[in-house]
């Protein structure tokens, strides 16, 4: 059975992109567009790892991470922050609130893959096949760049 990875992101295009990348890599993505819904999903689904934005409606990512760490049933779930907040204080706050990995947007497919694999360790890592291997970066670069470019 593939590992469940919860993506928490309020930008629907980025959320869909993360879920598609994880699916292609052989993981079972779960998604939430805000912190409150994410906490419900975490309690009900017990994901194997969480990809978490900081700037979220309802409950921001830092507070959500603290809640996860304070809750006995969820405190063991590893967290990676993937966020546009990229100042050194943001990195510090992310780690202090319970994150193990911090990626600044825009992220690459390979960086997201390495982050998830690092969070999961050897636990539930899918076999590498042509189907779940990410496409070469040059094919996805324009799609990803368009998500993060300013008009």
């Amino acid at each position: 059975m593939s590992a469940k990875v919860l993506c928490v992101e309020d930008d629907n295009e980025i959320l869909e992109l993360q879920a598609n990348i994880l699916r292609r890599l052989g993981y079972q993505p779960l998604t939430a567009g805000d912190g409150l819904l994410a906490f419900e999903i975490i309690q009900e689904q017990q994901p194997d790892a969480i990809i978490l934005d900081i700037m979220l409606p309802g409950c921001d990512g830092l507070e959500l991470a603290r809640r996860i760490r304070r809750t006995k049933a969820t405190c063991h779930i590893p967290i990676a922050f993937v966020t546009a907040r990229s100042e050194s204080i943001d990195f510090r706050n992310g780690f202090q609130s319970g994150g193990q990995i911090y990626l600044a947007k825009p992220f690459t497919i390979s960086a997201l893959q390495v982050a998830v694999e690092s969070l999961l360790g050897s636990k539930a890592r899918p076999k590498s096949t042509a189907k779940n291997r990410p496409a070469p970066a040059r094919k996805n670069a324009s799609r990803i760049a368009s998500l993060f470019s300013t008009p």
Side-chain angles (χ1 to χ4, degrees):
M1 182 177 196
S2 62
K4 293 186 287 188
V5 180
L6 174 62
C7 300
V8 187
E9 169 66 59
D10 61 332
D11 182 313
N12 287 331
E13 286 187 22
I14 297 172
L15 185 61
E16 183 179 324
L17 178 65
Q18 289 175 341
N20 287 336
I21 291 168
L22 292 172
R23 195 173 296 108
R24 184 171 173 94
L25 292 170
Y27 298 107
Q28 180 186 348
L30 306 170
T31 60
D34 67 69
L36 297 176
L37 175 60
F39 195 65
E40 289 178 26
I41 292 171
I42 292 164
Q43 291 178 309
E44 293 170 8
Q45 297 285 324
Q46 290 288 307
D48 298 297
I50 300 168
I51 305 298
L52 183 57
D53 190 11
I54 288 181
M55 297 177 286
L56 295 168
C59 172
D60 74 40
L62 297 172
E63 178 55 33
L64 178 57
R66 287 189 285 269
R67 278 187 184 180
I68 292 165
R69 293 294 170 247
R70 286 192 308 255
T71 305
K72 186 175 182 178
T74 61
C75 64
H76 66 282
I77 301 172
I79 299 169
F81 284 104
V82 178
T83 182
R85 310 270 316 249
S86 60
E87 299 294 322
S88 60
I89 188 71
D90 300 316
F91 282 77
R92 183 178 302 120
N93 290 339
F95 291 124
Q96 288 176 344
S97 67
Q100 285 86 8
I101 296 173
Y102 197 105
L103 295 177
K105 292 176 186 172
F107 59 89
T108 64
I109 294 170
S110 60
L112 185 63
Q113 179 179 0
V114 168
V116 172
E117 288 174 354
S118 296
L119 290 178
L120 296 171
S122 59
K123 174 186 176 186
R125 185 176 296 158
K127 285 185 175 180
S128 180
T129 66
K131 182 181 176 186
N132 66 13
R133 205 173 295 128
R138 66 184 177 282
K139 289 184 180 178
N140 293 318
S142 63
R143 166 80 173 115
I144 293 170
S146 70
L147 289 173
F148 300 103
S149 64
T150 54

